[in-house]
Amino acid sequence: MIRFIEADGTPHPVEAAVGQSLKQAALDHLVPGIIGDCGGCASCGTCHAYIDDKHLPLLAPADENEEMILEGIPTPRTANSRLTCQIPVTADMAGMEVHIPDTQF
Amino acid sequence: MKTVVIVGAGQAGSELAVALRQNGFSDRIRLVGAEPHLPYQRPPLSKAFLHGKADQVALRTRAPDAFTNAGIEIELDTAAVGIDRRTRSVALADGRTLRYDKLALTTGGSPRPLRFGSGHVAGRTLHTLDDAIALRQELQSGGTLLIVGGGFIGLETAAAAADMGIAVTLVEAQPRVLARTSPPAVSAFVEREHRNHGVDLRTGVSVRSVARRDGALHAQLSDDTVIRADLILTGVGIAANDTLAATAQLAVDDGVLVDATARTEDPDIVAAGDCTRQWHGFLGRSVRLESVQNATDQARTAARTLCGKPTERFTAPWFWSDQYDHKLQMAGLPQTGDTEIVRGDPSTNSFSVVYLRNGIITGLHAVNQPRDFTAARQLVTARAAMTGDEAACEDLPLSELMKRHQPTAERRT
């Protein structure tokens, strides 16, 4: 179970399938605020979200392209900022909180 | 119980249905699509899918369960053939009619057909999943490919085919590829990369006629050369599917006319995506935009309108293309007369072109510069002021300018 949390605090607990991207898990459960217009190839930056501190170290770091996309996102970029399309769901993400920014573009 | 019928199960139709639920619409949603497939993403068809890097499951906009769980009724293989606005019903090809309280048209576009001379040989097109499946199978069996049209579909297909080891010839009638959409520096880069990958790229030349003989196609070009190919693909743009709207006496002009809230002239009918010509709130003019970003964004706008909370659009359009391992990204919609400023060295694989009008950034085309692209999207939306020197200065990150120009344009809610 992964908890997506909208900017206004609305939680969306989601049973995500291992292997799918965090972005697709959000889309498949109609979580508002994750858009992913480019389909998940890290071209558009509209699936940005903040990963909780506890689970962040579990993720492979962002590659150079993702880093560059994150530089231009409209909401504040923090050390927890990631593109959810670049994060495959793994079993040890159970309980992870993903905070969604108030806008994607 | 009220019923919303959505005609067209592409990305706009899919997003509109979902956005209705996200906006609290709890009554009946019926999504009808002419194709046999659940809503899928079109951009990867000429990129990762053709290349074999993405499968059909990866193309789906949402998992099948997502629609079921949201109570969205989908009917595939179901073409709509008429709209009766008086009785508020949609006629289907199978003879049924669907009653609606509100109607959404997300009928998309169709590739412009291109016939060559009197030979009656039509090129294939790449627009649907079935087109892509068929093309991929043919490419996997080898042969030679002639692509007519140096726009994004033609070039992305050329890149995928060349990567698969296919001998590709691409002809473009204009003096350069991407002439309609991109600055000369980007066209030159793209042409160079295709030639580096073995594509026989010819500009300023068109196909005069095509004949089929000896088991192959022979295309005679306007410069009298003849290209032999096993397959011809044409990519010369799409036309809006606005006939359904036109026959229902809705205003159309190369696209269903909608306002900035995606409403047609009928208060019970909205339209979104490639089938529309919209009054664009940000651009301040009427445009037809062919992009997935517009399709999904306008679909969300249309859903809000149907839910009684219309909002206008204030974002800059954007678009991208993947060719080989290069990423082309565009923000804004520059117009003729805007000043083009090259940022970085076009002889390398990484540069941008900034468009300025009266000292305001109107657009940016990035080649392997996602950093410039995402920053430009914000700057264009904010109508940020910028000097030519700032635009050209590679050492000054555009994101720095972003800090100086906090967005002033009204944000959507």
Side-chain angles (χ1 to χ4, degrees), chain B residues 337-382:
Chain B
D338 291 4
T339 308
E340 290 171 17
I341 292 160
V342 176
R343 183 178 162 82
D345 181 0
S347 72
T348 69
N349 283 349
S350 176
F351 67 98
S352 302
V353 177
V354 180
Y355 288 86
L356 298 180
R357 173 172 287 253
N358 302 324
I360 303 286
I361 181 170
T362 57
L364 178 138
H365 285 237
V367 174
N368 297 316
Q369 270 294 358
R371 157 191 293 130
D372 282 357
F373 163 70
T374 43
R377 232 166 53 199
Q378 311 308 323
L379 290 164
V380 170
T381 301

Side-chain angles (χ1 to χ4, degrees), chain A residues 1-2 5 7-8 14 17 20 25-26 29 31 39 43 57 62 64 68 73 83-84 87-88 90-91 99 101:
Chain A
M1 183 78 78
I2 291 171
I5 300 164
D8 67 2
V14 160
Q20 73 175 160
H29 291 83
V31 176
S43 282
E64 191 193 354
M68 287 199 281
I73 53 172
L83 296 181
T84 53
I87 301 173
T90 54
H99 293 265

